[in-house]
Every structure is written in structure tokens, then in C-alpha cells.
Amino acid sequence: GQNIDQPTEMTATEGAIVQINCTYQTSGFNGLFWYQQHAGEAPTFLSYNVLDGLEEKGRFSSFLSRSKGYSYLLLKELQMKDSASYLCAVMDSNYQLIWGAGTKLIIKP
Amino acid sequence: IAGITQAPTSQILAAGRRMTLRCTQDMRHNAMYWYRQDLGLGLRLIHYSNTAGTTGKGEVPDGYSVSRANTDDFPLTLASAVPSQTSVYFCASSERAGGTDTQYFGPGTRLTAL
């Protein structure tokens, strides 16, 4: 079966750094996406990785290791507005997205 | 309008009733998708459409039907609502099907089936 695992909830302090991990087992791999979802809102695209390594985009970075079936999202200089759920999704061999349940990130002042 | 719109925003529906959730996009995207999101679970694909005139089944299609008469609209119909269909429904679109294009999501419809 196909499986995406990520922690259910994490807590971090404003101004700090947090790393959200995602491990996956899927039938084929055509890239990994990270989305942000604020409570009661739609998911919005953050990043896409298809090759191994780190992609940096402002305060957010995303890392991929295909051999380990592993990715992480790194958020720096945390702000209160970063309180949200972060969804990891893998595109499988049929080009369908398989989604993790999401990690709820709580930012404390 | 810009992006994807969904209607209604929320709905309470008696079991056994028929309901159509509407989705419209103005980005001229070829591919469209319907997902449901339940607490503790990842988004699950219900149906998809790679281009106008074609549709396909996703992971959880039972009890739902879709149509794609034109590029912009992708309605989802519940033929006879059951309580297990209580969920938040998201419509999404991407420029191409079968590729790795980003999916853009509508604001969602919160459906309660009693």
C-alpha cells in the first residue's frame, strides 16, 4: 500500500526554527509537494522537490532524499502567522497525489 | 473572479437527499479534482478530470458522480447522502494532467449529512 507519515502536531516558539519531517512509501515517485493549510481554509502550495537536495524559498526550505523516502520542511524565523497545518504529498506513478494527514504547527510567543 | 470558487460554503443535508457541489475555475486549467478531507486523514481523491469531456475515479468514488461539460466547471453530485459523507470537500485544478503541475484549491464546502 501507499503511505505518507508525518507527525500529528508540533509546537515551536516565535522566532525559532522548526523542521517537519515526512516519510513516504508509494508506488512510483514523481515528486513531493508541501502545502500549508490554515484552519478553515484551502491548502496553498509551498514547495516541490523532485531531485535530491535542498530547495530554499525565503524563510521556508524543503529537503528530499529519494533513496530514504524522506523529506523535511524547514521553517526559519517563525512568525505567529505560520501557525497552520503542513501537508506532505507525493505524486505516484499514476501522477496522482497521495497525501499525508498533515502536521499541525502551533507557534507560541 | 480569480482562481477557483466553490458553492455552497456549507450545507446541512438530510440522509437520502441528492446534492450537487459546484466548482468553477477561471484559470483555463485542463485538469480538475475533487477531494474530501476528514480529521486525522489526508486528502482523498474522489474523482478527477484530465480535460473537458473526460472523468476518472479516484481513491474513494463510491456514492459520488461528476461531469465535465466544459473547461471551467466540475460539479460533484451526491446521489443519496449518507452520514459517512460528512466532510469538507475541496475542488482543485492544475494546468495539465499527468504532470507535476501545482494543484490550486478552492475554499471548500463543509457538508454535514444527517
Side-chain angles (χ1 to χ4, degrees), chain A residues 30-52:
Chain A
N30 282 299
L32 186 144
F33 293 79
W34 284 97
Y35 279 75
Q36 180 189 60
Q37 185 177 26
H38 285 101
E41 297 183 7
T44 56
F45 170 77
L46 285 178
S47 68
Y48 169 69
N49 294 69
V50 67
L51 300 177
D52 290 350

Side-chain angles (χ1 to χ4, degrees), chain A residues 30 35 37 42 48 91 95-96 100, chain B residues 35 37 42 48 98-100 103 106:
Chain A
N30 282 299
Y35 279 75
Q37 185 177 26
Y48 169 69
M91 187 155 283
Y95 290 96
Q96 289 195 357
Chain B
Y35 292 94
Q37 187 175 40
Y48 64 92
T100 55
Q103 292 187 12

Side-chain angles (χ1 to χ4, degrees), chain B residues 23-70:
Chain B
C23 174
T24 299
Q25 55 105 355
D26 66 354
M27 298 177 284
R28 307 303 294 172
H29 283 176
N30 285 308
M32 296 187 76
Y33 315 85
W34 274 105
Y35 292 94
R36 60 178 290 173
Q37 187 175 40
D38 302 290
L39 197 63
L41 298 177
L43 288 161
R44 291 183 291 169
L45 183 65
I46 305 170
H47 284 288
Y48 64 92
S49 169
N50 290 338
T51 189
T54 69
T55 62
K57 294 182 179 180
E59 180 186 356
V60 289
D62 294 344
Y64 306 95
S65 63
V66 292
S67 61
R68 186 89 184 277
N70 57 60

